[in-house]
Amino acid sequence: MTSSRQSAVNQTVASRFSLRVVVLVAVILGLLIPASIITVLGFGLQRDSMVAQLETDQRRLLDIVALGMQEPLWNLSRQAGSPLIASVMEDSRVISVRVTDTQSNTVFLYALRSERRIGGVSFVQKPVIYRGEEIGQVTIEFDTEHLTIAQSNQLKNLLMILFAQLGLSILLIVGILHSRFLKPMRTLTEQATHLAELHLDTPFLWERKDEIGRLGRHLEWTRAELKRLIDELRAKTLALESDIARRREVEDALRRSENKYRELFWSNLDGIVISSLDGQVIDANPAFLNLMCYSLDQLKLQNFWSLIAPESEGMERFNLDNKVLRFGYCDEFEASYINRFGNVVPVSVKTVAMRDSFGRINAVWRMVRDISEKRVAEERMQLAAKVFENTVEGIMITDADKRIRSVNKAFSHITGFGQQEVLGQKPDMLSSGRHDETFYEAMWSAINEHGSWQGELWNRRKNGEVYPEWLAISAVRNAVGEITHYVAIFSDLSERKAADERIQFLAHFDVLTGLPNRAHIQDRVELAIHNATRDNERLALLLLDLDRFKTINESLGHSAGDALLQVLAERIRSTLLTGEVVARQGGDEFIVLLPLIADPGSAALAAERIRDVLEPPVELFNHSISITPSIGISVFPDDGRDFETLVRNADAAMYHAKSAGRNSYKFYTADLNARAREILEIESQLRYALDRDEFVLHYQPQVDLRTGEIIGAEALIRWQHPDLGLLGPVRFIEVAEERGFIVQIGNWVIQEACRQLAQWRRQGLPRISLAVNLSTLQFKQQDLAVHLQRALSAHGLVGSDLDVEVTESVIMDDVETTIHTIDRIKSMGLQLSIDDFGTGYSSLSYLKRFKADKLKIDRSFVRDIPMDADDSAIARAIINMAKNLNMTVIAEGVETIEQWKFLDREGCHAAQGYLLAKPVPAKEFEKLLEKGVLLPERLTSSA
């Protein structure tokens, strides 16, 4: 009784202590959680506001720089852009500002703060768009350290406010709880303790009217009733004690007998379950209940057969019917049971029959042992075996004497040795001979000292091939620390070594031609410059560009261009002398280094050798291709003292060679810089030419050879340059194509030609068709047909009023796409003319598919007729072929009466050229149209 009372006291004290803890925890959590959430949300909002403000400032600065850099970047004026960059750098958050010219892919302006705080940084970028074109990129680097500091200070302030509020709130709430709840609860607890200890003589007095007071009065009623009941029970207890004493003696005897059985049943580590023959569970020991995750009451509600997995039920029933019921037992067998959570439990089972007092079998006793760990161990062994056999790394296991006991498939795949060939052998059979004894001694010393070693070494395959491998060796020890085995795991590094070599090659050599690349040749040139400076010698750089290589790419495709580059690279390399190097700079440009020359004449001889070796045609894709080079030469130290200067000056000389007729070489001279500046000026002014309305069209009449009637005209663009005067297309079209302006210019030509033609119609002038030229880029535009239709519709014209002229190289690039584009143009009623016919690489078989309306004989074939028999034959063949294909033939460049008569005699339909009229402005062309007929003067006088 004393122990029971002490236990009750302990429980009361523990309960009282737990109640206080719970109340305090509830109060603290009730305040802390909402306050923390509000603090976190408030901090998050303020942090987002700070971040948003920073991002707004960043975007504002970025927009200012991008807008302010349009004019300086377009005009390439660093002086104009520097003040803006300096003003941006006054912001202490700005670390650096970089402005990049995307046209030349160079840094236009760059500013970097000399000192900066250590902290986070952010980058913002924006393209510089000028007149719809991206001309540069602005990048600003911001220091975000100040944002981090501000956020940290804000968090500290919020935490201080939070803790102050929590402290004050907790003090107030704890005071109220103590007076109104905890103190009365302590009194209730003490009274309950007296009640539990059966100290029932002292009444419990309560005057409070609230819920605690009512609870105290109920407790007082309970005390009084309990005291009355206890008094009654004491009297009855004395009468029962004598009866209980007698019954206890009988029960003790029975209990001693039953305990032996229960001790065996309950303490057995194997699960035991007793069930009737129909599967009703009668009893089960704790081991079985734990295995199946049931309580005994839950298990008794189950039928035993529902505990067996479907795949094991047939075997259980067979053993019950044919072994247990016949022989009284069944030997151990394996089955699968299902626990309360539906998980399959693998078990081994022994079954014994139970009999009643008449010897009849009425129940079954099953001893069940969990074999999950056994199954897992078996699976691990199987998995380890699979991993050993199927891993891609080679594995070799040796005994303590270093004799091979086992190898996997990867070992055989890597080394070429089969398992039976190496068992019992020592690993030194794989030795490559590249490592000395000292290497192996150090390796085995590390294994014995540290238990493992790994590193790269060379071994030998069965076929004698030496290969690199990464090898890791570990020592396996037994329980007493003795080495019993060594395990070696290795992987073949051959492919990785080859990849490293490939990467090294790609860093210094051109993949297509195998020649050194620009980076490699730059290193060689700088070394040659150093040697030449030291020895007071000269060297030369030759910059070689292939003439009209772009035309070959467009007509035959890039595969043909690549094959041609490989052939020509090998030819150039074959001309080099000892020490001379050729590299591919990119595209169709090559750099040749002559590291030592006696005088510039040596460079000229090298250029002559290159011209000679490139002269023979290259047979490629059923075409005989002749290619010529334009070569620029710069000499150290006269033309530059560093690689970049020498290359730049050689490039200027090369362009001079191109403009001089190609297939030649030129030395760098100072006046080439003037031409380069002129080209740069043309390029910079070309950007504004359309906006300033500086382009004009001149018109050259096309005349019927028989009657002299003006049947059409070709619109030819001219540029009224503000400084250089009227420029022909030769001065600016190539630059426009290279810089991507040609599409806008071509679209303007279409619009202006349609406008002018419509004006002539309104003036009542004779109806003619007007021809406009399309560039390669313009012809490839997806919206070409749409643009043509809009131009015609805007000026009230029909398709037959306009001729579209394209060169052979344009239409031969991607023939199927070209035919689709031509079909769309023809469906609008426009006429198609093939310009410069006979100068490209087109196949005559495509002419019919192209459905061209007109062929224009190139001026190169007209120039020498009728004196040159070959040109006359070519012109005659083109005229006859066009007639057979129902095409109109127009001869370009007609300048003499003899040419006129020859073409008329051969049946050519029309002609244009200086014999009749030069290209003239629209006003002058109107005068020609008013005449209607335009014949050479000699023909007119003879008539």
Side-chain angles (χ1 to χ4, degrees):
M1 179 65 73
T2 301
S3 176
S4 174
R5 289 180 178 179
Q6 185 63 36
S7 175
V9 171
N10 293 338
Q11 290 177 1
T12 302
V13 173
S15 174
R16 181 177 59 190
F17 178 76
S18 299
L19 180 61
R20 290 179 179 178
V21 172
V22 168
V23 171
L24 289 176
V25 169
V27 170
I28 293 172
L29 291 181
L31 293 173
L32 181 60
I33 292 175
S36 299
I37 293 174
I38 294 172
T39 302
V40 170
L41 293 176
F43 175 70
L45 292 174
Q46 295 181 6
R47 180 188 59 194
D48 294 342
S49 176
M50 293 178 183
V51 172
Q53 182 61 40
L54 177 61
E55 291 176 351
T56 301
D57 293 345
Q58 290 176 346
R59 287 194 298 270
R60 179 178 57 80
L61 284 177
L62 186 63
D63 291 339
I64 290 172
V65 176
L67 182 61
M69 290 308 298
Q70 288 180 350
E71 289 291 338
L73 187 57
W74 184 261
N75 295 324
L76 300 178
S77 175
R78 290 188 172 89
Q79 184 176 3
S82 297
L84 176 60
I85 299 302
S87 67
V88 173
M89 290 300 294
E90 291 176 359
D91 192 327
S92 60
R93 297 170 296 178
V94 178
I95 298 174
S96 68
V97 179
R98 180 191 301 271
V99 181
T100 306
D101 185 355
T102 56
Q103 299 293 327
S104 59
N105 197 23
T106 59
V107 176
F108 178 66
L109 284 174
Y110 180 68
L112 174 65
R113 190 173 301 281
S114 59
E115 60 183 25
R116 53 170 288 196
R117 292 173 297 193
I118 299 175
V121 299
S122 64
F123 293 87
V124 291
Q125 292 182 335
K126 184 172 182 179
V128 179
I129 306 299
Y130 190 76
R131 300 187 180 182
E133 177 185 2
E134 180 178 339
I135 63 172
Q137 185 82 18
V138 176
T139 302
I140 304 180
E141 180 184 8
F142 283 87
D143 185 351
T144 60
E145 180 187 7
H146 70 283
L147 179 62
T148 304
I149 294 172
Q151 291 177 349
S152 178
N153 292 336
Q154 185 64 32
L155 180 60
K156 290 178 182 177
N157 294 336
L158 290 175
L159 290 177
M160 291 177 63
I161 294 172
L162 172 64
F163 290 139
Q165 291 176 343
L166 286 177
L168 181 61
S169 300
I170 289 172
L171 288 176
L172 292 175
I173 293 174
V174 169
I176 295 172
L177 287 176
H178 178 74
S179 62
R180 299 300 300 168
F181 179 71
L182 293 179
K183 185 176 179 180
M185 288 300 295
R186 184 183 302 115
T187 302
L188 280 175
T189 303
E190 292 173 354
Q191 292 176 354
T193 301
H194 289 300
L195 193 65
E197 294 175 348
L198 299 180
H199 297 162
L200 307 176
D201 296 331
T202 304
F204 303 152
L205 301 178
W206 285 89
E207 296 180 356
R208 293 177 55 146
K209 303 299 183 180
D210 57 8
E211 291 83 353
I212 295 179
R214 289 197 297 272
L215 179 61
R217 287 190 288 275
H218 287 307
L219 197 63
E220 166 58 19
W221 179 85
T222 303
R223 181 199 65 79
E225 287 296 311
L226 187 60
K227 186 175 183 303
R228 182 180 62 79
L229 291 173
I230 288 176
D231 291 341
E232 292 178 358
L233 285 174
R234 283 175 181 170
K236 294 181 180 179
T237 300
L238 294 174
L240 291 174
E241 284 181 353
S242 59
D243 294 337
I244 292 173
R246 290 192 298 271
R247 293 182 62 181
R248 185 174 297 163
E249 293 177 357
V250 176
E251 290 174 355
D252 287 344
L254 180 62
R255 188 178 298 111
R256 286 193 294 273
S257 174
E258 185 179 357
N259 281 344
K260 294 180 180 179
Y261 160 77
R262 300 306 298 178
E263 183 178 357
L264 175 64
F265 184 79
W266 286 96
S267 62
N268 201 311
L269 297 179
D270 291 335
I272 301 175
V273 58
I274 303 172
S275 64
S276 63
L277 295 180
D278 59 359
Q280 180 63 43
V281 176
I282 300 172
D283 201 358
N285 71 343
F288 185 82
L289 296 176
N290 291 335
L291 178 66
M292 303 304 293
C293 304
Y294 285 100
S295 67
L296 182 59
D297 293 336
Q298 291 172 334
L299 189 64
K300 286 183 178 181
L301 297 177
Q302 302 292 324
N303 187 283
F304 172 76
W305 297 106
S306 67
L307 305 178
I308 303 174
E311 62 270 17
S312 299
E313 183 177 353
M315 180 172 54
E316 279 275 8
R317 291 188 181 277
F318 176 83
N319 290 336
L320 177 64
D321 296 337
N322 295 279
K323 295 183 179 180
V324 177
L325 296 182
R326 292 181 61 186
F327 307 110
Y329 69 94
C330 177
D331 291 333
E332 184 175 5
F333 62 93
E334 293 186 359
S336 296
Y337 285 8
I338 300 176
N339 65 15
R340 184 164 65 94
F341 302 108
N343 299 324
V344 176
V345 181
V347 295
S348 66
V349 184
K350 290 183 180 179
T351 310
V352 179
M354 295 183 65
R355 301 178 186 272
D356 59 14
S357 57
F358 300 101
R360 294 174 297 190
I361 297 176
N362 61 353
V364 177
W365 174 307
R366 288 180 175 85
M367 289 178 287
V368 180
R369 177 174 298 173
D370 186 1
I371 59 172
S372 299
E373 294 184 359
K374 176 183 174 183
R375 291 277 180 90
V376 170
E378 291 175 351
E379 291 175 356
R380 286 178 179 172
M381 290 294 292
Q382 294 174 358
L383 179 60
K386 290 180 179 178
V387 170
F388 179 78
E389 283 300 321
N390 297 308
T391 184
V392 295
E393 286 83 11
I395 301 177
M396 174 176 61
I397 301 175
T398 71
D399 56 21
D401 295 330
K402 302 173 186 173
R403 294 197 175 275
I404 300 173
R405 294 305 178 195
S406 181
V407 295
N408 66 348
K409 292 180 181 178
F411 174 92
S412 300
H413 176 72
I414 295 173
T415 65
F417 288 99
Q419 184 175 18
Q420 297 303 320
E421 294 178 279
V422 298
L423 292 181
Q425 302 291 329
K426 288 196 172 185
D428 57 10
M429 65 179 293
L430 303 174
S431 176
S432 66
R434 291 195 178 186
H435 306 286
D436 55 18
E437 289 297 328
T438 305
F439 173 84
Y440 291 108
E441 289 174 0
M443 180 182 74
W444 285 110
S445 175
I447 295 171
N448 294 327
E449 182 177 353
H450 304 293
S452 64
W453 176 90
Q454 62 179 350
E456 183 178 324
L457 53 72
W458 292 81
N459 270 343
R460 188 182 302 276
R461 306 187 205 273
K462 182 179 180 180
N463 60 7
E465 176 188 353
V466 176
Y467 68 97
E469 69 178 25
W470 183 262
L471 174 64
I473 303 177
S474 301
V476 180
R477 301 178 184 272
N478 59 17
V480 297
E482 297 173 341
I483 294 177
T484 59
H485 295 85
Y486 294 100
V487 178
I489 302 176
F490 62 93
S491 57
D492 189 349
L493 299 180
S494 301
E495 293 185 0
R496 195 182 77 180
K497 290 280 187 182
D500 291 342
E501 293 174 359
R502 178 64 175 169
I503 292 172
Q504 189 67 18
F505 174 83
L506 293 177
H508 296 280
F509 291 89
D510 176 56
V511 177
L512 178 64
T513 62
L515 297 178
N517 58 16
R518 179 183 172 88
H520 186 78
I521 195 66
Q522 181 173 355
D523 293 340
R524 295 291 297 269
V525 171
E526 290 173 352
L527 178 61
I529 290 174
H530 174 76
N531 295 335
T533 303
R534 180 193 61 201
D535 300 333
N536 196 24
E537 300 286 353
R538 288 183 169 187
L539 64 84
L541 276 189
L542 279 64
L543 186 64
L544 182 151
D545 183 87
L546 301 178
D547 299 331
R548 297 187 177 90
F549 180 77
K550 182 180 179 182
T551 303
I552 297 173
N553 258 349
E554 292 174 347
S555 58
L556 299 183
H558 291 284
S559 297
D562 290 346
L564 180 62
L565 286 175
Q566 291 171 334
V567 173
L568 300 182
E570 189 58 38
R571 287 188 181 182
I572 297 172
R573 182 158 42 191
S574 68
T575 68
L576 301 182
L577 305 178
T578 304
E580 298 175 348
V581 182
V582 59
R584 184 186 180 200
Q585 176 166 256
D588 59 336
E589 287 189 354
F590 297 87
I591 298 177
V592 177
L593 167 63
L594 309 180
L596 180 62
I597 60 172
D599 52 57
S602 301
L605 290 176
E608 288 287 356
R609 292 199 304 270
I610 293 174
R611 285 178 56 192
D612 293 341
V613 79
L614 297 185
E615 183 177 359
V618 179
E619 297 297 328
L620 197 66
F621 295 1
N622 297 323
H623 290 274
S624 180
I625 300 174
S626 295
I627 199 78
T628 58
S630 293
I631 304 173
I633 305 173
S634 60
V635 178
F636 172 87
D638 305 334
D639 303 330
R641 292 181 173 270
D642 59 72
F643 173 78
E644 293 296 340
T645 304
L646 290 171
V647 171
R648 183 173 62 251
N649 291 338
D651 186 64
M654 181 269 291
Y655 275 105
H656 181 48
K658 276 189 176 294
S659 62
R662 298 182 173 88
N663 194 22
S664 62
Y665 61 87
K666 297 291 181 181
F667 283 89
Y668 170 76
T669 56
D671 62 342
L672 292 180
N673 280 331
R675 173 57 182 162
R677 285 194 297 271
E678 180 184 343
I679 292 176
L680 182 61
E681 181 181 358
I682 288 175
E683 178 187 342
S684 63
Q685 294 293 328
L686 198 59
R687 299 172 183 266
Y688 308 103
L690 273 176
D691 295 336
R692 296 172 179 173
D693 199 22
E694 294 175 354
F695 289 118
V696 295
L697 290 184
H698 284 195
Y699 304 89
Q700 187 174 32
Q702 296 172 344
V703 176
D704 188 302
L705 280 169
R706 297 281 184 181
T707 64
E709 180 185 358
I710 299 176
I711 61 174
E714 182 177 2
L716 301 168
I717 191 168
R718 299 291 186 266
W719 182 11
Q720 191 64 53
H721 195 280
D723 300 323
L724 303 177
L726 189 65
L727 302 181
V730 133
R731 297 283 296 276
F732 64 88
I733 285 297
E734 185 174 353
V735 177
E737 289 179 341
E738 291 178 356
R739 296 298 182 262
F741 304 141
I742 193 65
V743 175
Q744 295 93 319
I745 294 174
N747 290 339
W748 177 87
V749 169
I750 293 173
Q751 286 286 349
E752 177 61 18
C754 290
R755 185 200 65 78
Q756 186 62 64
L757 186 59
Q759 180 177 331
W760 288 338
R761 296 282 172 83
R762 289 193 297 272
Q763 294 175 2
L765 295 175
R767 300 181 67 89
I768 62 169
S769 63
L770 197 56
V772 293
N773 293 280
L774 296 184
S775 68
T776 303
L777 291 177
Q778 192 177 10
F779 191 73
K780 291 180 179 178
Q781 294 298 306
Q782 296 286 339
D783 59 350
L784 173 61
V786 175
H787 190 83
L788 287 167
Q789 184 61 57
R790 287 176 180 172
L792 291 170
S793 301
H795 299 288
L797 301 177
V798 296
S800 59
D801 292 329
L802 206 61
D803 284 358
V804 173
E805 289 193 6
V806 292
T807 62
E808 284 184 306
S809 59
V810 171
I811 61 176
M812 286 304 297
D813 184 14
D814 191 356
V815 172
E816 296 304 323
T817 303
T818 297
I819 292 175
H820 177 69
T821 303
I822 290 174
D823 288 342
R824 294 182 62 188
I825 293 174
K826 297 285 289 181
S827 66
M828 297 163 54
L830 276 75
Q831 300 186 67
L832 176 67
S833 299
I834 299 180
D835 199 7
D836 299 338
F837 184 77
T839 61
Y841 299 93
S842 62
S843 170
L844 298 180
S845 63
Y846 284 109
L847 281 178
K848 185 176 180 180
R849 296 185 63 188
F850 290 149
K851 300 178 182 178
D853 300 288
K854 300 177 182 179
L855 285 184
K856 300 189 73 174
I857 306 175
D858 188 67
R859 66 182 67 251
S860 62
F861 300 129
V862 176
R863 184 185 304 117
D864 296 326
I865 61 173
M867 289 74 71
D868 187 286
D870 293 335
D871 286 345
S872 298
I874 292 173
R876 186 180 297 111
I878 294 175
I879 294 169
N880 291 332
M881 178 192 65
K883 287 181 178 179
N884 292 330
L885 294 175
N886 295 322
M887 296 181 186
T888 301
V889 185
I890 302 175
E892 291 183 308
V894 178
E895 298 179 356
T896 67
I897 193 65
E898 289 77 13
Q899 295 169 351
W900 177 284
K901 291 180 178 180
F902 173 85
L903 293 169
D904 185 23
R905 186 170 58 253
E906 295 298 330
C908 183
H909 299 99
Q912 69 181 83
Y914 283 9
L915 178 64
L916 301 169
K918 296 181 178 180
V920 294
K923 289 296 183 183
E924 295 184 26
F925 189 77
E926 290 175 5
K927 298 177 182 178
L928 298 178
L929 277 181
E930 289 173 353
K931 293 181 180 180
V933 175
L934 190 60
L935 287 171
E937 293 182 1
R938 288 178 57 184
L939 285 179
T940 305
S941 61
S942 63

